[in-house]
Amino acid sequence: MNLRAVLFDVDFTLCRPGPELSAERYARIAERHGVSVDVSRYDDAREAAALSLKRHPELLHDETIWHRFTADIFIGMGGPQEIASECATEIERGWEVSENFELFEDALPVLEELRAARLRLGLVSNGIRDLREFVAHHRLDVDAIVGSRAHGYVKPHPTIFEAALRELGVDAAETVMVGDSLEEDVEGARALGMRAILIDRDDRHPDVEERLTDLYGLPAALGLRRPG
């Protein structure tokens, strides 16, 4: 392929939630409401909430879905259903703050290496925060920023990828999508004719052919020569 651009997912691809967004945040907010939750149940509660998560049938960006997701985690940790919605609103405010996220150590060096190879770079993300503020805070050098909150549709809807391609001025066949979700990032991009690479940091999908466990291997996977 004549590679001209690379698109990246954001959460769990380039960055991860920091300590302020950990299970302890649920506990702190619950405590302010005079109740307690079990932080040891967070992982199981999050997994259960994810399994019951139902997207809007037309893949519209619908923040009520993510609100229900957060409330379900709170309940799964032992929080009372009566105050789950109120607590979820407080919890979600933390996800809107860019400094509550930490870049993975491989993010900036790999973005710089791709930029040095004269590739155009873009972000495509499902989420509730302002991606442009996030990019400015973390000083990411990218050419296109498309978030579902502003765009109106979530991945894997084709239009969110198409919007990024238009901003970059490239075709799908000239672009690689990189992300941590098989359905949203990999399958969504491939449906448009893009090559897609799964970032599998927890090594959960060993059978996926186009897969990396970190971003350091991305330049080689794209066929780029290493500097020096």
Side-chain angles (χ1 to χ4, degrees):
M1 67 182 294
N2 177 29
L3 179 63
R4 294 182 58 202
V6 182
L7 292 176
F8 288 90
D9 168 57
V10 178
D11 293 346
F12 304 102
T13 298
L14 296 178
C15 72
R16 61 188 161 211
E20 181 57 27
L21 300 179
S22 66
E24 283 70 24
R25 178 174 178 81
Y26 286 76
R28 287 194 298 271
I29 289 173
E31 187 176 355
R32 287 207 294 269
H33 287 262
V35 299
S36 62
V37 295
D38 184 351
V39 295
S40 71
R41 292 166 60 181
Y42 173 77
D43 288 340
D44 288 341
R46 194 179 193 283
E47 184 175 352
L51 288 173
S52 65
L53 183 68
K54 293 181 175 59
R55 289 192 185 92
H56 190 285
E58 296 178 4
L59 295 178
L60 292 171
H61 178 95
D62 186 345
E63 293 187 11
T64 63
I65 293 172
W66 300 108
H67 181 78
R68 180 72 255 169
F69 174 73
T70 305
D72 283 348
I73 295 174
F74 179 81
I75 294 167
M77 294 172 69
Q81 187 162 354
E82 296 76 20
I83 62 169
S85 180
E86 183 179 356
C87 290
T89 297
E90 294 184 46
I91 292 164
E92 287 166 340
R93 290 188 189 121
W95 286 82
E96 297 176 358
V97 181
S98 297
E99 52 262 41
N100 285 344
F101 292 82
E102 304 170 341
L103 294 179
F104 288 108
E105 64 179 10
D106 52 14
L108 288 179
V110 170
L111 289 176
E112 290 172 4
E113 191 169 342
L114 301 187
R115 179 64 83 194
R118 300 183 178 181
L119 294 174
R120 295 183 64 73
L121 305 176
L123 305 182
V124 184
S125 176
N126 296 343
I128 63 173
R129 67 188 182 280
D130 183 342
L131 264 191
R132 295 190 180 277
E133 196 279 331
F134 175 86
V135 166
H137 176 80
H138 290 286
R139 300 180 181 180
L140 301 179
D141 180 17
V142 296
D143 305 294
I145 304 167
V146 182
S148 62
R149 187 179 203 174
H151 177 70
Y153 287 92
V154 298
K155 296 176 294 184
H157 198 280
T159 62
I160 193 168
F161 296 107
E162 290 166 347
L165 295 174
R166 282 195 302 273
E167 280 197 35
L168 292 174
V170 296
D171 295 329
E174 303 170 313
T175 307
V176 173
M177 175 69 199
V178 179
D180 72 303
S181 169
L182 274 173
E183 181 181 2
E184 295 173 0
D185 301 316
V186 175
E187 294 173 7
R190 287 176 180 169
L192 279 179
M194 274 187 272
R195 180 185 172 193
I197 297 174
L198 179 72
I199 296 300
D200 186 16
R201 293 185 181 274
D202 294 327
D203 202 18
R204 295 179 300 174
H205 303 284
D207 297 332
V208 174
E209 185 176 351
E210 286 264 67
R211 179 187 78 110
L212 297 169
T213 53
D214 58 48
L215 290 175
Y216 286 124
L218 182 60
L222 297 177
L224 303 180
R225 291 184 178 180
R226 302 307 298 258

